[in-house]
Amino acid sequence: DSVKPLMTVANSKYCSDYIFESLKIKCDGYIYPGCDLNPYTKIKKDRNLFITVSQLWSHKRVHLLLESIKLTDETELIIVGSGPEKENLKKTVKQLNLQNRVFFLENLKNYEIQILLARSCGFLFAPIREPFGIVILEAMSAGCPIISVNEGGFTEVLNSKNSFLCNPFPHEFADKIKLLQNDEILMLKMSAESQKLSKQYSWKKSAIKLKQKISNVLENTKKNENLHYTDYDSQKIGIQYYGWYQEGYGNSHWNDSND
């Protein structure tokens, strides 16, 4: 109760609702993140190649994606990311006999990730309660059809023409993977729709919207004579990015520390 923000802005309606549910703070709207244009969209897609980009924590449910790949034929999955679940996921890969079909990569340059996304037949995503998920926009910019769980803020920027929204069951993911593999016309139509949708979002547009909200707050504080700031020589702006529900199971998020 020591700090009461004059304005709280979320990165999705889903996140806004969660902030109100958990903290009883009503958000002053929400602003979607942006994405950069992918310059490699002319690369031919590999019908057997799928990709996910994620921090490897349990709430990202990458194990669900591994089980989905097991239910398909010839499909390969590239997992870009690192985190405490990596060794457990590698053990699962071995148990499922997927060593020749699942590949772990990390510490890639942005352009390397862009190339992999552009090359992939589809992007897989299965996190629990994701506030938004910027990587979804990056995958769309690369022309990836999206196969994901039907929860989280990122679903607000998808539609039925560029994505399949599934329950968190391996067989549902596997069915959509096989559909994209076997129907190139559908895959290309969904790819084009993803690129089209992604062009609605840019960091410049997001910045302009956020700047306007901040300007409105600063202007209102000047007009309100009852507001008194102690020990501050200017108004302070706080940007809190990973302050929602931690891991979803009570553990700290990937970049939290005891400090």
Side-chain angles (χ1 to χ4, degrees):
D1 293 333
S2 60
V3 178
K4 295 182 179 180
L6 296 178
M7 179 182 68
T8 301
V9 180
N11 58 1
S12 67
K13 183 179 184 302
Y14 180 90
C15 188
S16 174
D17 292 343
Y18 187 88
I19 289 172
F20 182 76
E21 174 189 340
S22 58
L23 302 177
K24 305 306 177 188
I25 294 175
K26 186 175 181 179
C27 288
D28 299 84
Y30 51 90
I31 299 173
Y32 294 126
C35 67
D36 298 321
L37 294 177
N38 188 302
Y40 304 105
T41 53
K42 299 299 182 182
I43 295 176
K44 182 175 175 60
K45 290 191 173 295
D46 183 341
R47 61 178 290 272
N48 290 326
L49 183 63
F50 289 77
I51 188 172
T52 190
V53 180
S54 173
Q55 292 293 327
L56 303 183
W57 282 76
S58 59
H59 76 284
K60 296 295 186 177
R61 290 193 289 209
V62 177
H63 65 279
L64 186 155
L65 306 182
L66 297 178
E67 294 170 11
S68 303
I69 296 299
K70 181 63 177 179
L71 297 176
T72 66
D73 297 323
E74 301 180 355
T75 311
E76 296 178 353
L77 175 65
I78 293 177
I79 299 172
V80 180
S82 61
E85 276 294 297
K86 187 170 185 177
E87 293 306 313
N88 287 333
L89 292 170
K90 284 185 173 181
K91 290 178 182 178
T92 301
V93 167
K94 188 174 182 179
Q95 291 169 356
L96 296 175
N97 195 28
L98 292 173
Q99 297 95 317
N100 295 325
R101 295 171 57 195
V102 174
F103 309 96
F104 292 87
L105 300 175
E106 60 179 288
N107 298 322
L108 299 182
K109 304 293 185 182
N110 283 341
Y111 79 89
E112 293 174 317
I113 296 176
Q114 287 180 318
I115 291 172
L116 289 173
L117 288 169
R119 177 70 168 153
S120 299
C121 181
F123 185 85
L124 310 182
F125 206 46
I128 297 172
R129 296 190 297 180
E130 187 79 10
F132 187 79
I134 296 173
V135 69
I136 285 289
L137 287 178
E138 294 171 344
M140 289 165 56
S141 178
C144 283
I146 307 298
I147 303 175
S148 73
V149 289
N150 190 15
E151 62 179 270
F154 64 89
T155 62
E156 297 167 25
V157 301
L158 303 176
N159 66 31
S160 60
K161 294 181 180 180
N162 86 310
S163 66
F164 296 118
L165 300 181
C166 307
N167 293 306
F169 304 137
H171 73 273
E172 290 196 20
F173 273 73
D175 287 345
K176 301 308 180 185
I177 289 171
K178 288 185 282 189
L179 182 58
L180 287 180
Q181 273 185 301
N182 298 321
D183 192 337
E184 184 179 19
I185 294 178
L186 174 63
M187 183 271 288
L188 292 175
K189 284 183 178 179
M190 294 181 71
S191 173
E193 181 68 15
S194 276
Q195 289 185 57
K196 176 183 174 182
L197 287 175
S198 72
K199 292 177 181 178
Q200 300 177 27
Y201 306 94
S202 72
W203 289 114
K204 183 175 182 179
K205 289 180 181 179
S206 300
I208 290 172
K209 291 179 181 179
L210 184 56
K211 178 184 177 182
Q212 185 59 55
K213 285 185 173 293
I214 292 173
S215 296
N216 291 341
V217 169
L218 296 180
E219 184 64 28
N220 288 336
T221 61
K222 293 177 183 177
K223 295 178 180 179
N224 192 335
E225 296 179 355
N226 296 323
L227 288 176
H228 177 68
Y229 294 93
T230 305
D231 297 328
Y232 290 124
D233 55 7
S234 64
Q235 286 91 347
K236 306 299 180 181
I237 304 298
I239 299 176
Q240 181 71 17
Y241 194 75
Y242 288 115
W244 60 91
Y245 58 86
Q246 297 185 349
E247 199 200 352
Y249 297 118
N251 296 320
S252 296
H253 205 279
W254 67 271
N255 68 341
D256 285 351
S257 67
N258 291 331
D259 292 338

